[in-house]
Each structure stands twice: as C-alpha cells, then as structure tokens.
Amino acid sequence: MGWYQWQLFVVVGFGWASDNLWPIATSLIFAPIANEFHPSRPPLLSLSQNIGLLAGAIFWGFGCDIFGRKLAFTLTLGVTAVFGMAAAGAPNFAGIGVFAALWSFGVGGNLPVDSAIFLEFLPASHQFLLTILSIDWALAQLIATLIAWPLLGNLTCQQDTVCRKGDNMGWRYFVITMGGLTLIMFLIRFLCFTIFESPKYLMGKGNDEEAVRVVHEVARRNGKTSSLTVADLKVCEPEGYVHKANVADAVKRRLEDVKFDRVRTLFSTKRLALSTGMIMAVWAFIGLGYPLYNAFIPYIQAIKGAEFGDGSTYLTYRNSLIIAAVGVPGALLGGYLVELPRLGRKGTLSLSTILTGVFLYCSTTALNSAALLGWQCAFNFCSNIMYAVLYSFTPELFPTPERGTGNALTATCNRIFGIMAPIIAMFADLRTSAPVYTSGALFIFSGLLVLALPFESRGKAAL
C-alpha cells in the first residue's frame, strides 16, 4: 500500500459520497417542489431518480469493460454535476423529474466503477479499506443537510401556504450548490490526480505493454520498483493463444461474468443456495424499505410538524441536519461491532436492521416534533450501522470466481425494489403512517432473515 493507493482512496471516496449525496438531495427538495408545482403524484420524483440509478448502474457497469475504467471513473461525476446544476432551471415538475433521472444516471455508475478500479489497484492486505469508505457515504448526508438548512430553511415556502417561485428559490440554489460541489470533486479527479487505466482491464484488452508500464509507474510513485515484464505475462498465456480485443468481445466478456453457469454455481450446494437466496432477499427488502421512508423524511417532518403546530421549514431542515449528524458515528461503530466474537457480521447486521424497523414503528407514537426527531435520529444511527455492515459482509459470502456475479445479483435486487418504493408511496398516503408501517416491517423481516444465513465470515478468509 503506497502513496498512489492512498490518493486513490481519497478520490474514490468522492464516488461513495456522491452515491448518497444526490438521493439525499432529492429527499430534501421533495417538499418544496411538491409545494410549488402541486403534482398529483409527488413520489414520481423519487421514481424518476430510481430509474436513473438503475439505468446508470447497468450502463456504466457494462460500459467500463468496453471503454475502460478510467473514462467511466471520471465521467460519472461530470455527468452528475452538469445535470444537477441544470436542474435549477426546470420550469415544472416534469422537468425536475427528467433532470433527477439524468443526474441519477451518473450517480448510478459510481459504486460499480469506483469499487472495481479501487480493488484492482489495492493490495489484498488493505482490502478492508473498501469498508472504511462507508464514512464518506455518511458524511455526504451530513454535508447535504448542513447546506440545506440555511438555503431550504430560509428560502422555501412554508407548508400549506400559497407557494410562488420567487418565494421558493431555496431548492434551486441548493441543487446548484450540490452540482457545484460535485463539479469540484470531478475537477480534483480530472486535474489534480492522475488516474491510470486498470492493469487488469489493459491485460483483458491484450495491451500487455501498457499494463506493465502502468504497474511500473505506480511502483515509481510509491517509491518502489517492480520487476514485472511483458515476458512474465506472456508466460501465463496458453500455447497458441491469440487475443481478440474488439468491442464485441469486450461485451461478450462482460456477459460471461453474469452467465448462468456462474449463477448456478452460487446455488450449487444447499448451504450456498440458501445463503445466496437469502442475502438477495435481504438486499431486495432493504432496497424497498429504506427509500420508502428515508426518501420522504423531510416531507414527513414538514406535514407532521404542521400537525404539531411547529412545521416551519427552518425547523424541518434543522432537524434533518441533526438526523444526518447522528448517522456518522453509526458508520464507524459498525466497523467495530463486526469484529466482536459474540456479534460478528450476522449479529451486527441482524440487530441493527431489526432496530431500524423498531425505531420506525416507535416514530408513529410521537406526540410532538421533539419526539419524532428523537426516533428518526435512532433510525438513522441504526441504518448507518446496517449499511456499513451490509456493504462489507455481502462480498464475503460469495466464492471469489463468482463474487462479481453475486454482487451483481444483490445490487440488481436492490435497485429494482428501490423503483417500487415511490410507486407504493403514491398509493399509500404519505400523510398517514402506512409507508412507515410497511418500511418498518420490511426492516424487521430482513433482520430476521439475516439470522438464518448459514455463514458467518468473521475471522475467516473469503472463499
């Protein structure tokens, strides 16, 4: 682990931050947009976002094997920044929905591309750093809400009042600021850091000379030397091997990663099939339960606050900031709890997921805004522990040759069920507790499923 990898750790963290920054931004602007444009079905905004996330994950995930990790690594943030800032000019609800899908198209590629390039440059002894990156995910929520408090808290129409554009400029300034922040991250990646194409990708394209050059250059930047030569790579090739490196072959290689033979391997034994099926179900149910509630937290705070007699926009976004701040130590605590012998991965994930659901149910008992804030803080704290463990535990459950396929299956389940969340919200009135009950039940059921997983990976090498 050298200086280049530590620099890469920082810029890869931008991708993790963006992955949470923009979904949180959508939830923060949901209430003012609904108040200004009066759409018949406000959750369509979240639906547009989730469709964009799914499309981005598919496009960038496949595309980085065709046009390379380097280009995708840079463009995902650039696309997000451009469409995020452009969204401020949306003239109506349909317009902001389109821009939400477009910026989410860029966001959707962050984790698949960034995790691939990071792992391909990371020595095995430091792969735990992929888990530590979760802190960027939590900090992004804190930063977004910190910026939202003055902008949305002071430049937004009050709940249940006549809302004109001139009185509701806060959300426009906010998306411009979020886009500007993402643009800064893009420029740091593009101008201040030299990202090399992954040697693994270059070898897959048959460009062994360039792969060796990159290895030597990274070693030089780390103050080391490497003895790797092109001849060393040729020795590994079977006799008579002729490499084909056109686009069609790149697509075929990518499709081979998810071919049914690899999928069947994940279900080849009773215990492995049980493990694969259950972790897919956990990702699916959490993918539905989390956005079903979390995407509408500021909106729920506003309408509940109005019922309690203190639903000012200032208090709504101040409370969102408090909720976000409480989540940061949750991400760190998760990394500690997974190594405790009596808890491990399964115990920590199950307990945090069940408590997330329990605190959601408790929030329905709130009789004032302070009580509602307390329960929502507890929800966010536990859900950050849950996600920190889930992102690190899932890859450990799959054998190395099929790990990419397993991760693809769980991510697909998560995104597809995430699309269902706003659809359910449209038919379950957000002014009632129905979405909260549904979300809480999904978390509790997911936590119980985790207990039934046949494998515990604490203290064991990955398969």
Side-chain angles (χ1 to χ4, degrees):
M1 186 75 179
W3 177 237
Y4 180 81
Q5 282 84 359
W6 285 116
Q7 290 178 307
L8 187 61
F9 174 77
V10 173
V11 295
V12 164
F14 295 159
W16 253 253
S18 177
D19 187 69
N20 199 28
L21 185 73
W22 284 96
I24 290 297
T26 304
S27 73
L28 290 169
I29 65 175
F30 182 86
I33 284 176
N35 289 338
E36 179 178 341
F37 297 124
H38 303 289
S40 58
R41 299 194 182 278
L44 283 172
L45 178 62
S46 295
L47 178 62
S48 298
Q49 171 191 262
N50 284 307
I51 291 173
L53 288 171
L54 177 61
I58 293 172
F59 175 80
W60 297 109
F62 278 84
C64 70
D65 268 357
I66 299 173
F67 46 72
R69 280 91 159 105
K70 181 179 179 179
L71 186 62
F73 183 73
T74 304
L75 284 181
T76 48
L77 287 180
V79 168
T80 304
V82 169
F83 288 116
M85 289 187 290
N92 50 42
F93 184 73
I96 189 62
V98 170
F99 281 117
L102 291 172
W103 80 52
S104 296
F105 178 74
V107 173
N110 282 313
L111 289 188
V113 174
D114 292 11
S115 61
I117 201 166
F118 189 48
L119 282 174
E120 289 169 8
F121 276 107
L122 202 61
S125 60
H126 285 72
Q127 288 188 1
F128 69 91
L129 289 175
L130 196 62
T131 304
I132 304 300
L133 282 170
S134 295
I135 190 63
D136 293 297
W137 200 81
L139 286 173
Q141 182 179 2
L142 178 61
I143 292 170
T145 50
L146 184 63
I147 296 172
W149 186 12
L151 290 179
L152 296 175
N154 296 302
L155 301 172
T156 297
C157 296
Q158 298 295 324
Q159 192 70 22
D160 298 327
T161 62
V162 176
C163 188
R164 301 180 181 86
K165 179 179 178 180
D167 301 322
N168 202 44
M169 293 297 291
W171 72 264
R172 293 176 171 85
Y173 298 146
F174 178 69
V175 294
I176 290 174
T177 304
M178 292 297 97
L181 183 60
T182 308
L183 181 63
I184 291 172
M185 293 190 289
F186 163 75
L187 292 175
I188 291 174
R189 277 189 177 184
F190 187 70
L191 299 176
C192 303
F193 178 76
T194 303
I195 178 67
F196 296 109
E197 191 59 85
S198 160
K200 182 178 179 181
Y201 169 78
L202 292 170
M203 288 187 290
K205 296 283 287 185
N207 195 348
D208 292 348
E209 292 81 4
E210 181 65 14
V212 171
R213 188 194 71 79
V214 169
V215 170
H216 282 276
E217 178 60 22
V218 171
R220 185 189 68 79
R221 290 176 179 241
N222 289 339
K224 306 288 184 181
T225 58
S226 173
S227 59
L228 182 69
T229 64
V230 174
D232 293 330
L233 299 181
K234 298 296 183 185
V235 170
C236 301
E237 295 178 355
E239 187 176 351
Y241 173 77
V242 177
H243 183 81
K244 297 179 180 180
N246 55 39
V247 171
D249 291 319
V251 174
K252 182 178 179 181
R253 285 196 304 273
R254 181 62 175 179
L255 292 176
E256 285 176 350
D257 287 341
V258 292
K259 66 182 181 180
F260 286 110
D261 286 346
R262 291 178 180 264
V263 174
R264 277 196 292 267
T265 301
L266 295 174
F267 296 88
S268 58
T269 67
K270 184 176 180 179
R271 293 188 73 200
L272 192 55
L274 180 64
S275 176
T276 302
M278 294 185 75
I279 198 63
M280 287 173 61
V282 168
W283 272 93
F285 292 138
I286 290 177
L288 175 56
Y290 187 77
L292 184 59
Y293 179 74
N294 197 65
F296 306 108
I297 281 182
Y299 183 71
I300 292 171
Q301 284 179 323
I303 60 177
K304 288 293 185 182
E307 294 174 7
F308 296 145
D310 54 358
S312 71
T313 54
Y314 181 83
L315 284 176
T316 296
Y317 293 105
R318 184 209 66 179
N319 291 351
S320 294
L321 175 61
I322 295 171
I323 293 169
V326 170
V328 175
L332 295 175
L333 181 61
Y336 169 74
L337 294 177
V338 294
E339 295 299 329
L340 296 180
R342 297 195 177 206
L343 280 177
R345 270 70 161 165
K346 281 176 57 176
T348 304
L349 180 57
S350 176
L351 182 61
S352 60
T353 307
I354 291 173
L355 286 177
T356 298
V358 168
F359 287 131
L360 275 185
Y361 280 126
C362 291
S363 70
T364 64
T365 68
L367 299 177
N368 53 60
S369 290
L372 180 62
L373 173 62
W375 293 125
Q376 289 178 330
C377 284
F379 159 80
N380 202 44
F381 180 79
C382 292
S383 65
N384 271 272
I385 296 176
M386 175 190 72
Y387 268 113
V389 180
L390 189 63
Y391 277 122
S392 60
F393 183 37
T394 300
E396 296 174 344
L397 294 176
F398 302 122
T400 299
E402 286 75 38
R403 187 163 293 146
T405 300
N407 288 338
L409 289 174
T410 55
T412 300
C413 289
N414 185 263
R415 294 302 191 193
I416 290 175
F417 274 69
I419 289 176
M420 294 169 58
I423 297 175
I424 293 174
M426 282 189 284
F427 295 97
D429 189 355
L430 290 175
R431 292 179 177 269
T432 71
S433 297
V436 179
Y437 288 134
T438 304
S439 183
L442 288 167
F443 280 118
I444 292 173
F445 183 65
S446 298
L448 295 175
L449 275 181
V450 171
L451 287 176
L453 284 169
F455 299 116
E456 167 59 66
S457 57
R458 189 196 71 81
K460 300 174 184 176
L463 295 175

